[in-house]
Amino acid sequence: MGFSEGWIRSIWMLMSNVWYSININGTRHGFFKSSRGIKQGDPLSPSLFVLEAELLSGIMDNLFNIGCIPYSVDKKSPRITHLCYADDTILFSSCDLFSFHFVMNELHEYEKISEQMVNKRKSSFYVPFQEDDQRITDINKITGFQWCQFPMKYLGCPIYLGRKKVVYFSDMVAKVANRMQGWQSKLLSYGDKVVLIKSILQALPLHILFVLHPPKTVLN
């Protein structure tokens, strides 16, 4: 990314020279070296995580640019290869099995470099409704992810195919309603209730997901 050798050396010294001491009954006892780099909560950690995430972004963009994960979208829509929010990631691909081999190979390489592991138990893939069972089985074998059906939730919002349905948003509406049923809300003015609603909406809770499209040859 163009960082100077001095900057890289300084960051590496911070990560590789971490020691801990245990405090027992107010007295420190010994030191031991960390094998996992900087500790959780270190102010430097988020920035380093973003730098590692940039590597994953570059890998996915490169696969798309060289045609390894082709998929078709509306001409007016941006060609998005992935979406990331903290450690939640959506990868977009066609249902072509060769694409999955390319993607999984690159994910394994990213795991080796970053030492961040994909949690397959929390990861899933989604395919169009018309996709056949054999294709779904093949994708499951290649990725090791479980197959799920739309609608799904990402960052607390429903992601669906086709027309909007009230049932997709029922959980979200219920959460807002439950949080507003406290006795305090009855004592608030109209303006205060607006502030309360906004704060509740912002506080709503926001594993890797594959969102898949039919093979490019089919769409063409």
Side-chain angles (χ1 to χ4, degrees):
M1 296 183 181
F3 296 112
S4 67
E5 288 296 328
W7 187 89
I8 295 174
R9 193 180 306 109
S10 298
I11 297 298
W12 176 245
M13 289 178 64
L14 291 173
M15 294 179 60
S16 61
N17 192 30
V18 180
W19 294 80
Y20 294 98
S21 177
I22 299 177
N23 193 330
I24 302 177
N25 296 330
T27 304
R28 291 183 179 181
H29 293 268
F31 285 88
F32 61 94
K33 186 173 175 54
S34 170
S35 61
R36 301 294 295 176
I38 58 178
K39 66 180 180 179
Q40 186 176 0
D42 191 293
L44 187 62
S45 182
S47 298
L48 294 177
F49 180 84
V50 170
L51 291 178
E52 290 191 11
E54 282 294 317
L55 173 60
L56 178 61
S57 295
I59 289 173
M60 295 305 300
D61 287 338
N62 183 60
L63 284 178
F64 182 82
N65 292 332
I66 63 179
C68 292
I69 51 172
Y71 68 92
S72 298
V73 295
D74 188 272
K75 293 182 179 179
K76 297 181 181 179
S77 301
R79 293 187 175 274
I80 302 174
T81 61
H82 59 286
L83 296 174
C84 297
Y85 184 89
D87 59 349
D88 291 315
T89 303
I90 296 181
L91 304 179
F92 297 88
S93 175
S94 72
C95 283
D96 182 78
L97 299 183
F98 287 104
S99 297
F100 284 100
H101 285 293
F102 281 117
V103 171
M104 295 308 298
N105 288 339
E106 293 299 329
L107 282 179
H108 293 325
E109 188 65 24
Y110 176 75
E111 288 178 326
K112 293 178 182 179
I113 296 173
S114 66
E115 295 187 356
Q116 296 178 5
M117 307 301 294
V118 177
N119 190 334
K120 294 189 176 182
R121 292 185 300 173
K122 294 183 178 181
S123 301
S124 53
F125 66 91
Y126 295 78
V127 298
F129 294 133
Q130 71 273 17
E131 201 58 63
D132 60 84
D133 294 339
Q134 184 58 50
R135 177 81 62 169
I136 293 173
T137 301
D138 293 338
I139 295 173
N140 174 260
K141 290 180 179 179
I142 295 173
T143 63
F145 302 159
Q146 61 179 335
W147 169 54
C148 294
Q149 293 179 297
F150 288 102
M152 69 176 186
K153 287 187 178 181
Y154 182 65
L155 305 184
C157 298
I159 308 297
Y160 53 88
L161 294 176
R163 299 177 60 182
K164 290 184 292 184
K165 295 182 179 180
V166 175
V167 68
Y168 295 163
F169 302 89
S170 58
D171 290 344
M172 186 182 300
V173 174
K175 288 180 180 179
V176 175
N178 290 336
R179 295 192 181 189
M180 293 197 60
Q181 287 179 352
W183 63 269
Q184 298 94 334
S185 62
K186 299 179 180 179
L187 306 178
L188 299 177
S189 65
Y190 179 82
D192 292 335
K193 289 182 179 179
V194 172
V195 174
L196 176 62
I197 293 173
K198 288 182 178 180
S199 64
I200 291 175
L201 292 175
Q202 292 176 351
L204 284 177
L206 297 181
H207 30 199
I208 277 180
L209 300 173
F210 270 114
V211 178
L212 310 176
H213 298 261
K216 188 176 182 181
T217 53
V218 175
L219 293 179
N220 288 341

